[in-house]
């Protein structure tokens, strides 16, 4: 089967995917999942530090651990796993 020429960026759909494009698509999905796992593990480390701070500070944990709570709440919405390539997501 001869290779078709690609002229500029083409929006990938289920019908026009080439085998090479599928490989690239799934490699990108793997990268996406890997990056999301890194975010989740960073969030887990912050949560563990927050638990240690809570146990260490006792009564004063509201004041002394506030920066960890703020960071945890800031990073929480971004720490999600979604390995589905954008073209396969249901709208």
């Amino acid at each position: 089967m001869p290779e078709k020429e690609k002229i500029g960026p083409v929006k990938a759909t289920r019908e026009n995917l080439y085998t090479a494009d599928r490989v690239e698509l799934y490699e990108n999905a793997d990268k996406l999942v890997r990056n999301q796992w890194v975010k989740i593990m960073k969030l887990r480390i912050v949560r563990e530090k927050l638990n240690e701070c809570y146990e260490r500070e006792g009564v004063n944990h509201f004041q002394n651990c506030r920066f960890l709570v703020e960071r945890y709440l800031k990073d929480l919405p971004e720490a999600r796993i979604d390995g589905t390539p954008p073209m396969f997501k249901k709208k």
Side-chain angles (χ1 to χ4, degrees):
M1 181 176 184
E3 297 236 358
K4 295 183 180 181
E5 290 184 28
K6 293 183 184 179
I7 302 172
V10 177
K11 183 176 181 183
T13 62
R14 292 176 192 248
E15 291 79 28
N16 71 353
L17 282 178
Y18 303 110
T19 304
D21 292 338
R22 287 187 194 139
V23 171
E24 183 179 340
L25 182 70
Y26 289 113
E27 286 176 357
N28 289 338
D30 287 342
K31 289 178 187 177
L32 178 68
V33 170
R34 213 173 303 125
N35 289 337
Q36 291 169 350
W37 270 106
V38 167
K39 289 180 184 178
I40 289 172
M41 291 301 121
K42 285 181 181 179
L43 189 67
R44 182 180 287 180
I45 290 170
V46 172
R47 186 176 61 223
E48 290 171 359
K49 288 183 179 182
L50 180 59
N51 286 335
E52 290 173 8
C53 182
Y54 174 78
E55 291 174 5
R56 182 181 63 240
E57 297 299 329
V59 179
N60 296 327
H61 71 275
F62 286 115
Q63 294 173 353
N64 298 339
C65 303
R66 182 177 205 91
F67 67 97
L68 288 171
V69 172
E70 290 172 353
R71 180 163 180 194
Y72 185 79
L73 292 176
K74 183 188 76 147
D75 293 343
L76 185 62
E78 299 172 3
R80 302 275 185 246
I81 295 181
D82 184 26
T84 308
M87 64 175 285
F88 291 123
K89 289 184 181 177
K90 295 181 181 178
K91 294 179 182 178

